[in-house]
Amino acid sequence: MLPDRIEDYVAADAAVRVIDAFVDRLNMAELGFQRAVAPSIGRPSYDPRDLLKLYIYGYFNEVRSSRRLERECRRNVEAMWLMRRLVPDFKTVADFRRDNGSAIVGACRAFVLICRDAGLFTARLVALDGSLFRAVASAKKILGRREIEEARDRLDRRIADYLSGLDTADASEPDDAGGAVESAMAMLESRRGELDRMAGWLDETGRATVVEGEADARPMGKGKGPKPPAYNVQSVVDADSGLIVHHDVTDETSDNRMLHPMARATKDVLSLDSLTVVADAGYSNGAQASACEDDGITPCAPANRTVNNTGDGTLFDRTAFAYDVMADRFVCPQGRMLERKQVMNKDRLVFYAAKPDDCGACILKSRCTTGSRRHVSRHFDEDALNRMKERATPEMMRIRRSAVEHPFGTIKPMMAGGRFLTRNLNGTRTEMALSILAYNIMRTINTKPTPA
Ligand code: SF4
């Protein structure tokens, strides 16, 4: 009553066939997969193609752990077909993902290049967005200098108490037959060494906190509440096809410095001379906008700037002051000049100030400043920022929203709501490449043209 061949259980248009065909056309050795060429002597190892197919299939179906993938090879007909009934043990499966990180990232990129060469990207407009994905560590593992110092003090007290207790015990019972003393002391001292290493790492990197066991992750999140250890995943989506053109996993706590590197990499992937990228206000950064324009990239993002006044919000904002490019000064609503006063290179800002006498005698002063005179700031890249803001029209922002929401809305459920299983940037980049490869394959299948 049942079909004789496992082939007959797999539908002709099943996604697993697309995964199989895609991996078969990859040049595994060129991508850098280990054991891409089978050794002529010794025990034959698993073909990396098989393990890559299994992982893509797993991420496609929200199965990411090596133990669950091993189980799928025994009971899932599609997995049996894909693996030709091979059943690698979970350790082999896990080792493959751990040892082939950059090759897996290369396979994800290879799919993007296939899509590019097939003309699937219009590249009319790309949308950039970032999203936080939780690291494999709890918020309790976040330690600052103070916490490390307190933990070291506690440990030193315990070691001292332990040693003084031992002196008393030694007097009555000198033998430590099981070596319990040495092992307890070794544990305490090993912990002391870990704390010293973390303190040294904070000094070296200049960071305020370290996540124990997950040094690359950082506390991230919005608002004032506790921030869990996480990674910032950046993705660039082709607005017309909905495919992810480029992505990266970063330890940047905000999107503010990501506009130019992501747009530049996308332009390279698509081999374009120019590119238009739209992003939200989190990417508003004058230096990044200037760098994009210099590279032939047209950025569109709303401004994310504070109003330049210190009053109750009713004082003139900076738009009431006209900038005179030739004279490099502002003209206030009363026609007085605000001359260049101070430059802050770190914030890339120039401050301009009115004369105290002008403001003191001004009838508009109560609407302009609460101080003795008015200051206005101007960004080094003010013109690029303004151009970027003007291009971020409501229609552009609507397109951005519809382009970026779908990929993360699909990928997060594939990853247990946006949680990594692997550690550090190497592991998380590998995992994200598998998720995005699975997403892009899924998107390509779902949007294929229907036959006439
Ligand atoms: S308070 Fe000073 S800066 Fe403001 S409008 Fe009057 S003169 Fe101009």
Side-chain angles (χ1 to χ4, degrees), residues 316 321 332-336 338 354-355 358-360 362-366 368-369 373-374:
F316 294 136
F321 296 76
C332 77
Q334 192 66 347
R336 307 285 185 228
L338 279 74
K355 290 194 180 80
D358 286 345
C359 293
C362 176
I363 54 167
L364 296 176
K365 185 169 182 290
S366 61
C368 189
T369 180
R373 59 176 166 166
R374 177 68 194 255

